[in-house]
Amino acid sequence: MPISEKIRGKFPKFVEIANYSISMAFDLDLIQSVYQRMPERVAAARQLLGRPLTLTEKILYSHLWDNAAPQSFGRGKDYVDFAPDRVAMQDATAQMALLQFMQAGRPKVAVPSTVHCDHLITAKTGAGEDLTKATQESAEVYDFLASVSNKYGIGFWKPGAGIIHQVVLENYAFPGGMMIGTDSHTVNAGGLGMIAIGVGGADACDVMAGLPWELKWPKLIGIKLTGKLNGWAAPKDVILKVAGILTVKGGTGAIVEYFGEGANAMSCTGKGTICNMGAEIGATTSTFGYDDSMERYLRATGREAIADAANGVREHLNADPEVYANPSAYFDEVIEINLSELEPHLNGPFTPDLATPISKMKETAAANGWPTKVEVGLIGSCTNSSYEDISRAVSLAKQVSQKNLKTKAEYMITPGSEQVRYTIERDGFLEVFDQIGAKVFANACGPCIGMWDRMGAEKQEKNTIVHSFNRNFAKRADGNPNTYAFVGSPELVTALAIAGDLTFNPLTDTLLNENGEAVKLDPPSGDELPTRGFAVEDAGYQAPAVDGSQVEVKVAPNSSRLQLLDPFAAWEGTDLNNLKLLIKAKGKCTTDHISMAGPWLKFRGHLDNISNNLLIGAINFFNEKANEVKNQLTGGYDTVPGTQRAYKAAGIGSVVVGDENYGEGSSREHAAMEPRHLGVRAVLVKSFARIHETNLKKQGMLALTFADKADYDKIQEADTISILGLTEFAPNKPLQMVLNHADGSSDTITVNHSYNDQQIEWFKAGGALNIIRKSVA
Ligand code: MIC
Ligand code: SF4
């Protein structure tokens, strides 16, 4: 079998096959029209504000929904309507987004949109077999997505074609554009100078239905990169360092704009890596100004016409020079990083912002008792699978035989797209990886999203892995809570896999080779872009029907994977009384805790079935256990979904209480729809992550925050709760919550919200979709 077939497998055939070649640029007309209107809009905004503009402001002002009324918007205050240029969805979130879109009653999507099948492929034996298995297992879901795409004019990327963000960067992202995507790492397209933002499916549904998209006008963080990356330092280390500085909450409500000589000296795909992982600091998105690296990347990926068009408006695709000269006058916060001095970092375990420079790993790991034997090194994912990343990793893999070394850890690769995979195979890189015993998985998320059938993971042994992905929350990759996952650049991950040791510092340390000699690894080197150009035989794209009106979308009524949606009930028009506390979650509660991925991904199109994972990862404050809460009806303890289903059956609503940055992580709206479906009425926390807060609002839930964070301590295990003030629910007007404790005492606390008038309408209607549905009917 040729290596490519072993590695890639065959693309399954769907409804209709259209040819795709890499010399084709999608949506050139759209891009040209964005560029055409940009100079005028930028000039108008500059005049309005009476000062030079950042790049972010230029892109935002060029994409206002009703351009007639630009104002000086309050950063972090004003909600503003935008008209994004396009929408991207991945299979795990597209199912819910499209189930909602089908209810909107529109014949076709209003803006160019795509679906990418990447999240549902389990990595086990290798790409070929894994892909075949996934297409069998998820045939129903893929058929659904393919036929909905075909019907509504959505471009469809088949399983195995690649990971959404890599495919978007290669095909759709363009400097100065604005897009939204149903995945938090949509921000990856900032590497090509876009404002690209992760959203829940309901937001995508609005934009595809031709409605405006709302965002709070962001604060702006400027990051000036001086110097030049060299030696072992990689673009990944920039964002690992930034995450260490800003933490998982530091970017909340902000757009991060990178600039400086260091930015210009970096590859476009490296910029993509930095923007991608900006999701891990909670940033709304990150972006870079248009430069030569982006032009080179556009040309290399067959988009010469877009590069030419962008060159025509180059000045508008960067901030005004005054901004770069005096950034602190224009950004709310400015951080400066000297790339010449940047050290490789490893972030983790269990959180992406715990940054340790590699030179400090020995002492830090010892002080914390982290296991230092590296069991597996994994490279790739949407974050780090560019040609440059792979070629630099290969330069290290080659040294294994050259220096008579032996790779100590297992080593795995998930290429980001078929185009990258095909090209790296052609250039002999896969063969080099093969020689060090690497396993090449399908062009898909795989281990990054817990779709990793890792042998022995069920034994839950304490162990360490290193990867070049972006998230490392507990259990994320292999379901084992005792896997310590560290995030690093593909180069460092490769070096650590060769060494088998987390504390190996390739800058200073040596390895003992098979002859017993101490050898040093040479620093990585590689090509930014393939010198022979990219190539691909079949990229895995399928264009939609020109007229999809006759296409039928089938959902079997007894399916366990797909379920058509019923509208949620509207608000009853009164205050809410007699609500039970479902859980008071302690500490970190990410979307992985609220609606776990991995084995649950298969239910992403079936709301009732996936609701059985509601909050099963959250830690109950009162007993420090996961998935064990007091059922106030029986007085006993039960699982979270079990308890909530009992409340639902009894017609009793409930409240979920959480800590800081609740809902951090993914864009998955299941984390909001599940509690809504099961009858939770309010989520009360110390603070929210942006996408999750919006998702809750969209689904007609109450997303509330403690006016006084110390009131978290007043919540008791068997509380019965009332929410007062809803009949006068208004922007900036807090609500009251009465906590009736089991001992007969009570506390009344003030709770804040960030609902604007429109969002209050969503709440009243029982969800935003009920409003769109009404406007169509
Ligand atoms: C992730 O990285 O967590 C995911 C899986 O890509 C999610 C989307 C999802 O939950 O489906 C994301 O980041 O939004
Ligand atoms: Fe897929 Fe991981 Fe990227 Fe999310 S972060 S899109 S799971 S590769």
Side-chain angles (χ1 to χ4, degrees), residues 216-234:
K216 206 182 257 177
W217 195 263
K219 286 180 279 171
L220 299 179
I221 298 177
I223 302 192
K224 180 171 182 179
L225 303 178
T226 61
K228 195 168 185 273
L229 289 170
N230 59 71
W232 285 87

Side-chain angles (χ1 to χ4, degrees), residues 313-336:
V313 289
R314 210 171 174 116
E315 66 186 290
H316 304 301
L317 302 174
N318 276 282
D320 289 334
E322 296 88 334
V323 172
Y324 294 147
N326 183 17
S328 52
Y330 303 94
F331 293 101
D332 299 287
E333 185 179 349
V334 178
I335 295 172
E336 192 169 320

Side-chain angles (χ1 to χ4, degrees), residues 561-579:
R561 305 277 312 256
L562 294 165
Q563 181 186 41
L564 294 174
L565 292 172
D566 284 329
F568 292 130
W571 172 53
E572 51 273 66
T574 59
D575 282 338
L576 303 180
N577 290 308
N578 198 29
L579 308 174

Side-chain angles (χ1 to χ4, degrees), residues 129 140 163 216 263 272 291 326 357 375 386 449 473 500 503 530 605 665 696:
E129 267 178 48
E140 185 186 1
I163 309 174
K216 206 182 257 177
D291 65 3
N326 183 17
E375 305 282 347
S386 64
I449 189 54
F473 305 137
T503 68
L696 288 168

Side-chain angles (χ1 to χ4, degrees), residues 161-164 166-167 170 380-382 385 414-418 420-421 443-444:
I163 309 174
I164 173 168
Q166 180 66 32
V167 174
E170 284 172 8
S381 90
C382 67
S385 48
T414 42
S417 74
E418 174 57 11
V420 162
R421 194 214 58 76
N443 311 315

Side-chain angles (χ1 to χ4, degrees), residues 346-356 361 370 472 485-487:
L346 276 177
N347 286 23
F350 308 122
T351 185
D353 58 353
L354 187 55
T356 308
M361 191 42 108
W370 296 335
N472 55 353
F486 294 84
V487 183

Side-chain angles (χ1 to χ4, degrees), residues 370-446:
W370 296 335
T372 57
K373 175 168 183 266
V374 172
E375 305 282 347
V376 192
L378 304 104
I379 66 162
S381 90
C382 67
T383 332
N384 268 107
S385 48
S386 64
Y387 188 85
E388 180 178 53
D389 288 336
I390 307 285
S391 68
R392 285 171 61 89
V394 155
S395 74
L396 296 166
K398 274 188 188 150
Q399 297 178 44
V400 171
S401 61
Q402 284 163 0
K403 303 195 172 181
N404 204 12
L405 287 157
K406 214 169 162 182
T407 310
K408 299 274 170 40
E410 280 182 83
Y411 189 66
M412 300 173 181
I413 304 149
T414 42
S417 74
E418 174 57 11
Q419 179 165 294
V420 162
R421 194 214 58 76
Y422 188 95
T423 310
I424 61 174
E425 181 189 354
R426 180 204 63 193
D427 291 352
F429 295 172
L430 290 184
E431 224 171 276
V432 178
F433 287 136
D434 208 32
Q435 283 157 14
I436 65 163
K439 204 175 248 180
V440 182
F441 289 134
N443 311 315
C445 303

